[in-house]
Amino acid sequence: MSDVADFFDEQSEDYYGQGDSGFRRSHSITARRIESALSGRVLSVGGVWNQAGVDAGVDAGGVALTVIDISPAMLRPWKSRGFDSVQCDARAIPFADASFDHLVFPLVLHHMTDGSAGNAQASVGRAVDEAHRVLRDGGQLWISEFSLPATVYWLERFLAPATRALLSLANIPLVVMHTAEFYARVLAQRGFEPTVHRIEAKDARPTDLMRPVIGLPWLRVPRMLYPLRTVLIEGTKT
């Protein structure tokens, strides 16, 4: 994951300062749903769930929030605002069992690939295992993510070696998007009761422009041609 940490160290300023990505409306809906349910001790993995940027603010009232990330630069904005911040890998969280009431993965699991589609699936499993360990019984796991249709997911995994080679030309690590069904299955296999919420902003337009690749700010794709959709997967530790 060192290549991912280095990449986000370089991209942090652009990531937090980017304009409307075309998913801003659905991200705001997701953030409000998560915030309305949080209480007690909360761990957010890879930044914070509000993807509108650090200047938009995060409603963390009434909760004890800890943020972890592998990138020091990505942690800096949250640390400067007074949140507890720890640099670490989500697959090896340095907290004791049952330390948290809620854990949030905000648009981060698709970056845990270790360079291949197979490793990406295994990494999601390891991260969810750690989430299960550090959550108390009855604790809640929240995964804010993008979801692919099953046929596109198969094609993405088949083409992953070629995609990795192309992205490497711009020093961009491989990203692997998964289906909502994949996330739900991983949660169910690891002791969570999953619920999938498909998030769709009513005022989203087919012509909204997406930024499909962090690190290529010039690349924009109309929403109507982009197969990703926003989902929120909720899991209760059983």
Side-chain angles (χ1 to χ4, degrees), residues 3 114-116 159-169 172-175:
D3 57 335
D114 285 341
S116 77
L159 294 176
T163 302
R164 178 185 180 184
L166 286 173
L167 290 175
S168 69
L169 297 177
I172 299 173
L174 178 68
V175 168

Side-chain angles (χ1 to χ4, degrees), residues 109-129:
L109 290 176
H110 59 269
H111 292 292
M112 299 181 190
T113 69
D114 285 341
S116 77
N119 288 341
Q121 291 184 328
S123 288
V124 170
R126 289 168 57 194
V128 173
D129 281 337

Side-chain angles (χ1 to χ4, degrees), residues 78-224:
W78 310 112
K79 186 174 184 179
S80 68
R81 293 178 57 189
F83 299 129
D84 289 338
S85 303
V86 177
Q87 182 186 355
C88 67
D89 191 317
R91 298 166 297 185
I93 299 175
F95 294 103
D97 297 358
S99 295
F100 296 95
D101 300 293
H102 295 261
L103 188 148
V104 187
F105 286 118
L107 299 177
V108 66
L109 290 176
H110 59 269
H111 292 292
M112 299 181 190
T113 69
D114 285 341
S116 77
N119 288 341
Q121 291 184 328
S123 288
V124 170
R126 289 168 57 194
V128 173
D129 281 337
E130 278 292 88
H132 189 275
R133 182 184 65 80
V134 301
L135 281 169
R136 63 166 174 79
D137 289 344
Q140 295 289 117
L141 173 62
W142 305 88
I143 299 176
S144 172
E145 265 298 347
F146 299 112
S147 174
L148 283 172
T151 52
V152 180
Y153 186 42
W154 179 90
L155 184 62
E156 177 197 40
R157 287 179 291 158
F158 178 76
L159 294 176
T163 302
R164 178 185 180 184
L166 286 173
L167 290 175
S168 69
L169 297 177
N171 295 316
I172 299 173
L174 178 68
V175 168
V176 176
M177 305 294 181
H178 303 282
T179 64
E181 292 75 18
F182 167 77
Y183 287 116
R185 184 169 63 253
V186 170
L187 265 62
Q189 291 171 345
R190 286 163 171 80
F192 288 96
E193 182 178 339
T195 303
V196 176
H197 307 279
R198 300 188 184 275
I199 309 297
E200 190 69 42
K202 293 181 179 179
D203 57 348
R205 300 180 298 270
T207 55
D208 286 341
L209 294 179
M210 312 286 111
R211 282 186 59 176
V213 182
I214 298 174
L216 298 178
W218 49 267
L219 182 60
R220 304 275 176 156
V221 179
R223 184 183 181 87
M224 69 182 75

